[in-house]
């Protein structure tokens, strides 16, 4: 999971529960618990971002931005496009991407400062998060471009099922908090663990790449002005999405096996089973009691610092048991966000420099993060792999543990979980993190 995740209860180790416990608006807006632990030290704002965080600004040229993000992208791969060959035209040589970085240990966050970006297409690679730094999704705009941020099918030099390339392994990447006006729409041909959220797609949303096999995915808190092409996607979950641009759901759903729509405006009518002419089955759920969005990082208005924005839980005003409530749909403005200055946010870094100048895992990273959590700070994990010797302990109401760039927590080797959340806490958010099991140390006395 790289969205909000399940964690193990600190006082009841056998109990799993969601860390994003919905609270009342009053308790959500309230400050975190009084300081009972170490003295809280103000954190630097702007923080000392590591090299794995790449900040892009509107005054940079498309060439400069392309140079800065190139190391984060999947490797280029030439392929021959035979699509028009049957019409007697010469096959075209094209450049796509391959999956050679499937298991890389590198993690990156591409953070775009508020503004308008013209002529920029950015492939979102393995273990990369692309995010706007605006308070509203419309604060960062990709315009006058073909694709903007995108994910295509990989390995198009190979033909699978009569189609060039595959999207069955376009895992472990994400994009959020921007508006795209790309001429070809938003291409997001992914499979699992590759969410797209808090975006405004001014054109069409394409969840497949010319029919290449795909098995995703998750779209949350979004607006799509055009239609949605599910195409070859086997399954897909949409949650709190405005789909007002879709006029023909039979054409949009395609041949997928399962589609689920939760709290979506203009969602399709539910259908059971698969119909060759009408597409795959779908389920529509309009009445969740509460929706809770992922926290995110934004730039302050002065441009000199950062803030952590924690969206307020959204509750329905009608009782779903008495009458059918209308879906809430998206919320891209952040008008009810709880805004926390980065002076109260610890930015964790996974690696330190050794005596030879090489980056190596920080053996004390668990202690440093837990000291900050004990002091009542929120914690943002910069991109990297964190080898934990102890569980991270979240012990305050409304505390946030947020990962950037698919930050990865590797569990302690004694079998303890990556994260423990204290019993009876409210409003805790754990999001944007990948959790990885460890190889357990052998007990020689057993």
């Amino acid at each position: 999971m790289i969205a909000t995740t399940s964690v193990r209860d600190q006082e009841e180790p056998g109990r799993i529960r969601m860390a994003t416990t919905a609270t009342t608006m009053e308790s959500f807006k309230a400050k975190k618990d009084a300081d009972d632990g170490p003295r809280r030290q103000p954190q630097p704002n702007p923080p000392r971002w590591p090299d794995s965080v790449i900040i892009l600004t509107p005054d940079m040229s498309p060439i400069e931005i392309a140079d800065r993000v190139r190391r984060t992208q999947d490797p280029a791969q030439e392929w021959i496009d035979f699509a028009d060959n049957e019409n007697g035209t010469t096959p075209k040589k094209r450049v796509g991407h391959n999956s050679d970085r499937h298991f890389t240990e590198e993690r990156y966050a591409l953070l775009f400062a508020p503004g308008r970006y013209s002529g920029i297409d950015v492939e979102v690679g393995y273990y990369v998060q692309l995010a706007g730094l605006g308070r509203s999704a419309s604060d960062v705009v990709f315009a006058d471009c073909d694709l903007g941020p995108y994910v295509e099918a990989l390995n198009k030099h190979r033909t699978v099922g009569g189609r060039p390339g595959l999207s069955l392994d376009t895992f472990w990447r994400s994009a959020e908090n921007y508006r795209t006006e790309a001429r070809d729409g938003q291409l997001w041909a992914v499979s699992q663990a590759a969410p797209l959220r808090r975006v405004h797609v001014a054109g069409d949303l394409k969840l497949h790449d010319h029919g290449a096999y795909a098995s995703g995915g998750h779209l949350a808190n979004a607006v799509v002005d055009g239609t949605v092409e599910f195409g070859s996607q086997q399954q897909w979950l949409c949650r709190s999405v405005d789909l007002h641009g879709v006029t023909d759901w039979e054409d949009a759903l395609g041949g997928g096996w399962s589609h689920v729509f939760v709290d979506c405006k203009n969602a399709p009518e539910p259908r059971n089973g698969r119909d060759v002419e009408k597409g795959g089955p779908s389920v529509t759920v309009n009445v969740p009691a509460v929706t809770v969005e992922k926290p995110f990082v934004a730039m302050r208005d002065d441009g000199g610092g950062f803030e952590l924005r924690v969206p307020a839980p959204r509750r329905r005003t009608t009782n779903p048991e008495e009458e059918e409530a209308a879906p809430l749909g998206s919320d891209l403005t952040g008008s009810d966000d709880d805004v926390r200055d980065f002076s109260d946010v610890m930015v964790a870094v996974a690696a330190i420099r050794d005596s030879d100048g090489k980056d190596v895992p920080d053996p004390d990273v668990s202690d440093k993060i837990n000291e900050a959590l004990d002091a009542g700070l929120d914690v943002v994990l910069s991109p990297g792999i964190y080898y934990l010797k102890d569980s991270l302990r979240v012990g305050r109401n409304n505390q946030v543990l947020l990962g950037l760039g698919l930050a990865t927590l590797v569990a302690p080797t004694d079998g303890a979980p990556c994260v423990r959340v204290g019993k009876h806490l409210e409003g805790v958010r754990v999001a944007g993190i990948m959790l990885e099991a460890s190889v357990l140390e052998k007990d020689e006395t057993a």
Side-chain angles (χ1 to χ4, degrees):
M1 293 288 291
I2 59 170
T4 302
T5 185
S6 301
V7 293
R8 193 169 295 277
D9 192 289
Q10 185 172 355
E11 298 187 26
E12 300 180 40
R15 180 171 175 248
I16 299 288
R17 62 187 176 84
M18 290 304 293
T20 55
T21 307
T23 62
T24 64
M25 188 67 71
E26 290 75 14
S27 62
F28 173 78
K29 289 293 188 181
K31 292 182 179 180
K32 292 193 287 292
D33 300 337
D35 184 11
D36 295 324
R39 184 177 180 83
R40 181 187 299 185
Q41 297 294 328
Q43 303 296 298
N45 191 10
R48 301 179 184 93
W49 295 114
D51 292 341
S52 58
V53 175
I54 301 174
I55 307 289
L56 293 314
T57 58
D59 59 347
M60 295 179 180
S61 70
I63 293 176
E64 183 179 0
I65 290 177
D67 287 342
R68 293 195 178 207
V69 305
R70 186 170 291 112
R71 61 190 166 112
T72 76
Q73 296 180 312
D74 294 318
Q77 178 71 57
E78 287 190 351
W79 63 287
I80 305 299
D81 186 357
F82 293 96
D84 294 329
N85 197 35
E86 60 186 26
N87 298 324
T89 58
T90 303
K92 296 180 177 63
K93 181 181 289 187
R94 302 188 187 278
V95 177
H97 300 271
N98 65 42
S99 60
D100 288 356
R101 289 173 56 84
H102 197 144
F103 296 107
T104 180
E105 293 189 356
E106 296 178 357
R107 307 284 188 270
Y108 292 102
L110 305 178
L111 305 182
F112 285 80
R116 189 174 180 88
Y117 295 83
S118 297
I120 295 171
D121 297 326
V122 181
E123 192 255 358
V124 182
Y126 279 109
Y127 308 102
V128 174
Q129 175 194 16
L130 183 148
L133 288 172
R135 296 181 175 183
S136 169
S138 61
D139 290 341
V140 173
V141 181
F142 293 93
D144 304 317
C145 55
D146 292 327
L147 293 167
Y150 72 97
V151 178
E152 67 172 9
L154 302 178
N155 299 318
K156 290 183 177 179
H157 59 297
R158 302 170 185 164
T159 300
V160 182
R163 307 287 184 177
L166 269 177
S167 291
L168 290 177
D169 59 353
T170 47
F171 308 139
W172 307 319
R173 58 195 79 204
S174 68
E176 63 185 77
N177 200 26
Y178 61 85
R179 173 186 170 93
T180 177
E181 299 173 358
R183 286 182 286 269
D184 293 339
Q186 173 72 72
L187 175 62
W188 197 253
V190 299
S191 287
Q192 293 90 353
L196 181 65
R197 67 174 72 239
R198 208 167 194 273
V199 295
H200 186 163
V201 180
D204 295 340
L205 172 61
K206 301 175 183 179
L207 301 176
H208 70 108
D209 189 353
H210 295 88
Y213 292 153
S215 183
H218 183 63
L219 172 68
N221 192 25
V223 175
V224 182
D225 291 344
T227 192
V228 180
E229 296 180 13
F230 290 89
S232 54
Q233 282 289 349
Q234 295 175 0
Q235 59 271 325
W236 196 273
L237 170 63
C238 294
R239 199 267 300 153
S240 300
V241 181
D242 295 348
L243 298 162
H244 53 259
V246 181
T247 58
D248 185 347
W249 273 110
E250 291 185 7
D251 181 61
L253 288 176
W257 299 339
S258 178
H259 305 92
V260 178
F261 301 87
V262 181
D263 189 42
C264 292
K265 294 184 176 181
N266 192 37
E269 292 294 326
R271 60 170 61 137
N272 295 320
R274 189 175 187 279
D275 187 301
V276 176
E277 295 181 356
K278 296 183 179 181
S282 68
V283 176
T284 299
V285 181
N286 282 339
V287 287
V290 181
T291 52
V292 183
E293 301 300 339
K294 172 180 171 292
F296 61 97
V297 176
M299 270 189 169
R300 293 191 318 209
D301 285 341
D302 59 14
F306 294 81
E307 57 193 23
L308 178 64
R309 300 185 71 90
V310 186
R314 293 192 296 156
R315 295 180 177 274
R316 295 182 177 279
T317 57
T318 56
N319 185 349
E321 296 181 357
E322 295 178 355
E323 58 180 294
E324 184 176 357
L328 292 174
S330 65
D331 177 15
L332 304 183
T333 62
S335 57
D336 291 327
D337 293 349
D338 183 15
V339 182
R340 305 176 186 181
D341 191 82
F342 257 53
S343 59
D344 290 324
V345 177
M346 181 246 196
V347 174
V349 180
I352 57 173
R353 291 281 171 90
D354 65 8
S355 57
D356 296 326
K358 296 181 179 179
D359 286 340
V360 296
D362 185 351
D364 300 318
V365 71
S366 301
D367 294 337
K368 294 175 181 177
I369 295 173
N370 280 329
E371 181 179 351
L373 291 170
D374 291 344
L377 294 172
D378 296 312
V379 173
V380 169
L381 303 172
S382 63
I385 300 178
Y386 294 75
Y387 293 90
L388 305 179
K389 65 180 180 181
D390 296 304
S391 301
L392 302 185
R393 302 183 302 270
V394 180
R396 305 293 183 94
N397 287 332
N398 302 315
Q399 205 160 24
V400 172
L401 179 63
L402 175 66
L404 294 181
L406 285 77
T408 303
L409 301 180
V410 180
T413 56
D414 62 359
C418 293
V419 181
R420 294 183 186 270
V421 174
K423 191 175 182 180
H424 302 313
L425 293 181
E426 293 185 339
V428 169
R429 310 283 180 95
V430 178
I433 299 169
M434 294 185 70
L435 306 178
E436 183 176 327
S438 263
V439 177
L440 299 184
E441 294 179 343
K442 185 177 180 181
D443 186 355
E444 301 293 345
T445 63

